[in-house]
Amino acid sequence: MSRKSQELTRDDWVLAGLAALAEGGIESVRVERLAKRLNVSKGSFYWHFLDRSDLFSAMLDLWETDFTAQLIANVASLPTPRARLRALADEALEASMDGVDVAHAEGAFSAWAVLDPVAAARVRAIEAQRIGYLVSELSLMGAEATDAELLAKGVYLALLGVFTTRRYNPALAEDAVFRRVVDLALDAVERRR
Amino acid sequence: MSRKSQELTRDDWVLAGLAALAEGGIESVRVERLAKRLNVSKGSFYWHFLDRSDLFSAMLDLWETDFTAQLIANVASLPTPRARLRALADEALEASMDGVDVAHAEGAFSAWAVLDPVAAARVRAIEAQRIGYLVSELSLMGAEATDAELLAKGVYLALLGVFTTRRYNPALAEDAVFRRVVDLALDAVERRR
DNA sequence: CCAAGTCCATACGTTACCGTATTGATGAAC
DNA sequence: GTTCATCAATACGGTAACGTATGGACTTGG
């Protein structure tokens, strides 16, 4: 067996970091814990990364490129805005990638952004994209510009609520609840035409 | 000046803890930091509390009794469910008590509940009360039982989204957004009658 | 085959905490 | 005014981290 197969890549660390983030929040992604989890010493970590915040940046990078953009791309082929938005809702509720629970991670990213200005800027940018997409779809459906924005943000806030609540109060975060909110918004747009 | 006026009470520590929680999350409420903030040594802390988790319990107690129950009581005198729910929405968006920003603290409590099973149980109980109240008011307005629950939870999730988002992406958490969600729910109920 | 590069282990110094133990100060009660 | 209870300061030992420094070990190119 070649040595290469056992050596860790930067991305291995990043994925472990994301898993730890999803599991226990940003405070729980600690280099010595990750090292233990990866059965390796932290000497390895400081080979791949400058320091802990370097890992944080990499986590934000991977999140933005591999996870976030993907979601929107996945539904682009559907025919109507309504179908795309519903599919997006389903996707948001169920996603999981590379062993990282996306919903848990989403909540953890928000919580992280509250505490860390660097993360905040990145998360804000990602959310701006998402809201922008929702607004454009709602506009396609005939919503007025200002109302499309209110509705898009409202739905997204509910989704964030789902993400954070899932972990400690799942009765509150049932899928049906979020779907009802989505319906509320979609119906509001269609009724107005 | 009597000595009493300078000595700290248990509640002084608890309020400081809540302020720290609102500011930097549960991981940032540390006894030596609070001591510094209160211009006192941690010898004082361990006089008033058994240990750090004892402070945590006290924080949850104060939150439940002095903060949460208050909100609902404040609107009880209003005439109609619709008026009460709207007033509640306003209150939730603006509250601040004893130098603690309630909205920030709310978000921090949710984030805390994600990480700590003890906090989770308490927060769940509080949220059950809140949802119960919302459901009963929506039912009074004529909503069907199952839909009242969906709507109540949906609105509450959006509020949680507001609380966590306020800190890092205020453009997302505008009051108008949440009010729009509330209107969506109220209109849905009234349209069905 | 050896020299350079790549990747990791180990040991170290440092910081920030937790919780305990002991002592000190101050007001109140007698 | 002595004594007691209340509250706080200080000093201590212990743990979990961070980041550095240094020394392997394995791999690949010349």
Side-chain angles (χ1 to χ4, degrees):
Chain A
M1 175 164 337
S2 94
R3 180 184 171 188
K4 274 269 162 65
S5 68
Q6 314 204 30
E7 283 169 359
L8 294 176
T9 72
R10 219 177 125 93
D11 276 357
D12 290 329
W13 285 97
V14 175
L15 283 178
L18 288 175
L21 174 70
E23 176 64 26
I26 193 63
E27 290 290 340
S28 87
V29 1
R30 313 226 149 240
V31 345
E32 295 186 76
R33 286 189 216 174
L34 294 181
K36 188 165 245 173
R37 189 150 159 171
L38 294 171
N39 288 314
V40 96
S41 80
K42 65 183 182 168
S44 169
F45 178 87
Y46 286 100
W47 171 258
H48 292 287
F49 299 90
L50 208 64
D51 57 17
R52 187 161 164 255
S53 74
D54 189 21
L55 170 65
F56 289 173
S57 297
M59 287 166 59
L60 288 163
D61 289 342
L62 191 69
W63 185 251
E64 183 166 10
T65 60
D66 285 25
F67 289 67
T68 305
Q70 201 72 24
L71 289 184
I72 291 178
N74 285 349
V75 301
S77 64
L78 294 176
T80 69
R82 187 168 186 121
R84 286 194 290 272
L85 289 176
R86 290 184 163 284
L88 204 55
D90 290 345
E91 221 180 0
L93 291 173
E94 297 171 19
S96 162
M97 283 181 67
D98 290 283
V100 178
D101 182 314
V102 172
H104 290 181
E106 284 281 349
F109 270 98
S110 293
W112 180 13
V114 170
L115 304 178
D116 175 3
V118 175
R122 303 291 301 271
V123 173
R124 255 197 313 271
I126 290 172
E127 289 179 336
Q129 282 181 239
R130 293 175 176 180
I131 299 296
Y133 179 76
L134 295 181
V135 168
S136 74
E137 294 288 9
L138 290 174
S139 297
L140 279 180
M141 289 181 64
E144 199 189 347
T146 85
D147 197 45
E149 190 154 333
L150 289 182
L151 293 176
K153 290 178 177 176
V155 168
Y156 188 76
L157 287 179
L159 182 62
L160 282 189
V162 169
F163 286 149
T164 90
T165 303
R166 272 251 181 94
R167 295 293 289 280
Y168 70 90
N169 197 354
L172 206 55
E174 287 155 8
D175 291 357
V177 173
F178 179 63
R179 285 192 231 277
R180 185 74 179 94
V181 173
V182 172
D183 286 346
L184 245 37
L186 294 180
D187 291 354
V189 172
E190 292 190 340
R191 196 173 330 108
R192 230 172 239 210
R193 302 184 3 160
Chain B
M1 170 160 348
S2 94
R3 180 186 172 190
K4 275 270 161 66
S5 68
Q6 313 204 32
E7 283 169 1
L8 295 175
T9 71
R10 219 177 126 92
D11 276 358
D12 290 330
W13 284 97
V14 174
L15 283 178
L18 288 174
L21 173 70
E23 176 65 26
I26 194 61
E27 291 290 340
S28 86
V29 1
R30 312 228 149 237
V31 344
E32 293 184 75
R33 284 190 219 173
L34 294 180
K36 188 165 243 172
R37 189 149 158 173
L38 294 170
N39 287 313
V40 95
S41 80
K42 65 181 182 168
S44 169
F45 177 87
Y46 286 99
W47 171 258
H48 292 286
F49 299 90
L50 208 65
D51 57 16
R52 188 162 163 253
S53 73
D54 189 22
L55 171 66
F56 288 173
S57 297
M59 286 166 58
L60 288 163
D61 289 342
L62 190 70
W63 185 251
E64 183 167 10
T65 61
D66 284 26
F67 288 67
T68 304
Q70 202 72 24
L71 288 184
I72 290 178
N74 284 350
V75 301
S77 65
L78 294 176
T80 70
R82 188 168 184 122
R84 285 195 290 273
L85 289 175
R86 289 184 165 285
L88 203 54
D90 290 345
E91 222 180 359
L93 290 172
E94 297 172 18
S96 163
M97 285 182 65
D98 291 281
V100 177
D101 183 311
V102 172
H104 289 182
E106 283 281 351
F109 269 99
S110 293
W112 181 13
V114 170
L115 304 178
D116 175 3
V118 175
R122 303 290 301 271
V123 173
R124 255 197 315 271
I126 290 172
E127 288 178 338
Q129 282 180 241
R130 293 176 177 178
I131 299 296
Y133 179 78
L134 293 182
V135 169
S136 75
E137 294 288 9
L138 290 174
S139 297
L140 279 180
M141 288 181 65
E144 198 189 346
T146 84
D147 198 46
E149 190 154 332
L150 288 182
L151 293 175
K153 290 178 176 175
V155 168
Y156 188 75
L157 288 178
L159 182 61
L160 281 188
V162 169
F163 286 149
T164 89
T165 303
R166 272 251 183 93
R167 296 291 290 281
Y168 69 89
N169 197 354
L172 206 54
E174 287 156 6
D175 291 357
V177 173
F178 179 63
R179 286 192 231 276
R180 185 75 178 93
V181 173
V182 173
D183 286 347
L184 245 36
L186 295 180
D187 291 354
V189 172
E190 293 190 338
R191 196 174 329 107
R192 230 172 238 212
R193 300 186 2 162

